[in-house]
Amino acid sequence: MARRTSGPKKKLRRGLWSPEEDDKLVNHIAKYGHGCWSSVPKLAGLERCGKSCRLRWINYLRPDLKRGAFSQEEEDLIIHLHSMMGNKWSQIASQLPGRTDNEVKNFWNSYVKKKLRQRGIDPATHKPLPLAAEGISSRTAVFSDAELILSSSAAAAAAGRHMPPPPVAASAAESYVYSYSHSSGGASDGSLQSLSGYNSNSKQTAADHLGAAAAAGYLQQEQDPAAAAAAADALHCGPSGAPAVVLPSVSSSSTLNSMAGLSPAATTTDEQCTNNCSSCSFHSGLEPWLELGSTSGYYGAALDELKWSDYVFDGGYGGQPGQGIYGDSKDAVQFVDANALSSSSWCLN
DNA sequence: AAACATTCCAACCGCGTCCGG
DNA sequence: TCCGGACGCGGTTGGAATGTT
């Protein structure tokens, strides 16, 4: 950068803003708008840098800010979006009207992280923490390099309300199954990192990981190997051990894909199911790409999906149904108005 | 009541991207 | 094509508020 040659730099104020400074900034922007931020402090009579003014306005003074504590709905949404996007705070915040990226980030760091850890979930990867997973992995798999295999029936179950309540065995199958893989050529810190770190040159990678990221950490393992095998069968619409790789509806939705910069076409679907079965959407005729606009739409289902991790960490299927996913007790589905979700606030543009 | 520890959040910092000259 | 300014983002920090000993 070029060195500034004009006169001695005026000492700029830093630190907390005084009410007087706030007034000046608010009045100025109310009258003239912010225009070029670098000129705002001068025009508003503030001894701050433009950057500081911008930050103050965006994070604190903007009239459309919600402020106050985050609701359970917001919390669940943040967790879900974080599982898909990683630390894309601005993108997450854009889905929360009245919230700023800074606010969301602080909320995450000060509260949600802790809460997830308490529940045995790694907040960075949304996968079980090593200790939490230990008991499970000793029976089945190690998860660090695990590849998430999602069943079409899980997707359908997640989409859910199109189907009658599953029988017990199917309920057991209502899960995501990790397929253990040592062959990860990628990051060892989990699929979510891969997703959050994707760029335009690696959309396929992102697509590959989207499903994993969407459901990352939502691990279900069967206590009973026979039931597990049956579940796997039901899940994978084929012989156990030969699972079809399918994304759940949550990550399949065009909206959520668009959030991640993906199109449904970029992701894997039930169409990969080559087995003649009736449990996947491909063969059962269920639409894997659920539409927004009804309360049974994908997003409610998505949040419903999230909930079942509680069954893992809260004592298996003996746990209380309806207990919130990472959270405590909310029925995550109810608060989501899919119609509202399809409104402009849900468009990423 | 005082000292210390912890939590929380507003603000800062550095970097990347975009865009106009 | 290059350069520099403006902007936006994510990570980090400082310190006020709160809790604990």
Side-chain angles (χ1 to χ4, degrees):
Chain A
M1 293 295 170
R3 186 184 299 169
R4 296 179 189 281
T5 53
S6 60
K9 230 181 174 177
K10 199 173 184 180
K11 180 102 178 176
L12 296 175
R13 263 180 66 89
R14 293 177 58 183
L16 295 179
W17 281 63
S18 68
E20 292 76 24
E21 287 178 306
D22 282 347
D23 282 345
K24 283 183 180 177
L25 185 56
V26 169
N27 289 335
H28 174 79
I29 292 177
K31 280 184 188 170
Y32 310 108
H34 61 73
C36 173
W37 279 112
S38 59
S39 65
V40 163
K42 189 180 173 186
L43 297 172
L46 291 163
E47 294 176 0
R48 297 269 183 176
C49 66
K51 201 171 181 174
S52 181
C53 293
R54 177 184 157 270
L55 212 59
R56 183 65 178 172
W57 174 257
I58 288 173
N59 287 334
Y60 200 82
L61 299 175
R62 250 169 49 196
D64 57 328
L65 289 180
K66 192 183 274 182
R67 311 211 63 80
F70 280 79
S71 65
Q72 184 65 47
E73 290 86 346
E74 288 174 311
E75 179 186 330
D76 290 342
L77 185 52
I78 288 168
I79 291 169
H80 176 66
L81 292 173
H82 187 273
S83 75
M84 295 189 65
M85 303 176 186
N87 294 357
K88 300 291 177 189
W89 304 118
S90 61
Q91 285 184 46
I92 293 172
S94 71
Q95 308 307 312
L96 293 154
R99 301 296 187 182
T100 69
D101 55 349
N102 208 33
E103 206 175 1
V104 171
K105 182 172 57 181
N106 282 334
F107 179 62
W108 179 268
N109 287 329
S110 64
Y111 177 75
V112 180
K113 251 183 173 176
K114 226 172 296 170
K115 195 171 174 180
L116 293 188
R117 284 204 188 99
Q118 282 170 2
R119 302 186 78 81
I121 299 169
D122 183 349
T125 62
H126 293 255
K127 291 179 179 179
L129 287 164
L131 277 178
E134 201 171 292
I136 300 170
S137 61
S138 64
R139 290 193 299 274
T140 50
V142 177
F143 306 106
S144 59
D145 286 335
E147 214 178 311
L148 192 63
I149 305 301
L150 300 167
S151 79
S152 57
S153 63
R161 288 149 202 80
H162 298 299
M163 302 173 70
V168 174
S171 173
E174 204 174 328
S175 60
Y176 300 116
V177 177
Y178 277 92
S179 165
Y180 181 45
S181 163
H182 283 293
S183 61
S184 79
S188 60
D189 54 348
S191 56
L192 183 62
Q193 258 59 30
S194 302
L195 176 74
S196 62
Y198 81 89
N199 57 36
S200 57
N201 294 325
S202 58
K203 283 194 176 173
Q204 186 54 53
T205 301
D208 290 341
H209 287 94
L210 182 58
Y218 312 139
L219 171 70
Q220 176 67 46
Q221 293 292 332
E222 292 305 323
Q223 307 261 350
D224 176 359
D233 262 351
L235 279 167
H236 300 137
C237 57
S240 54
V245 181
V246 179
L247 296 178
S249 58
V250 49
S251 55
S252 304
S253 95
S254 55
T255 299
L256 290 183
N257 279 318
S258 73
M259 285 176 184
L262 300 168
S263 68
T267 58
T268 308
T269 73
D270 276 340
E271 289 171 10
Q272 288 191 348
C273 179
T274 55
N275 302 299
N276 187 17
C277 65
S278 58
S279 60
C280 69
S281 60
F282 177 64
H283 289 109
S284 68
L286 280 174
E287 172 53 59
W289 306 100
L290 298 174
E291 298 296 331
L292 286 170
S294 85
T295 51
S296 61
Y298 83 91
Y299 208 83
L303 290 163
D304 209 23
E305 260 180 58
L306 297 180
K307 289 164 60 177
W308 68 260
S309 68
D310 263 8
Y311 292 101
V312 178
F313 301 110
D314 284 355
Y317 285 109
Q320 290 297 312
Q323 207 166 16
I325 147 120
Y326 300 90
D328 297 325
S329 59
K330 286 280 166 54
D331 181 348
V333 178
Q334 289 181 350
F335 67 76
V336 176
D337 179 343
N339 289 305
L341 293 182
S342 65
S343 72
S344 59
S345 69
W346 281 86
C347 296
L348 267 186
N349 287 321

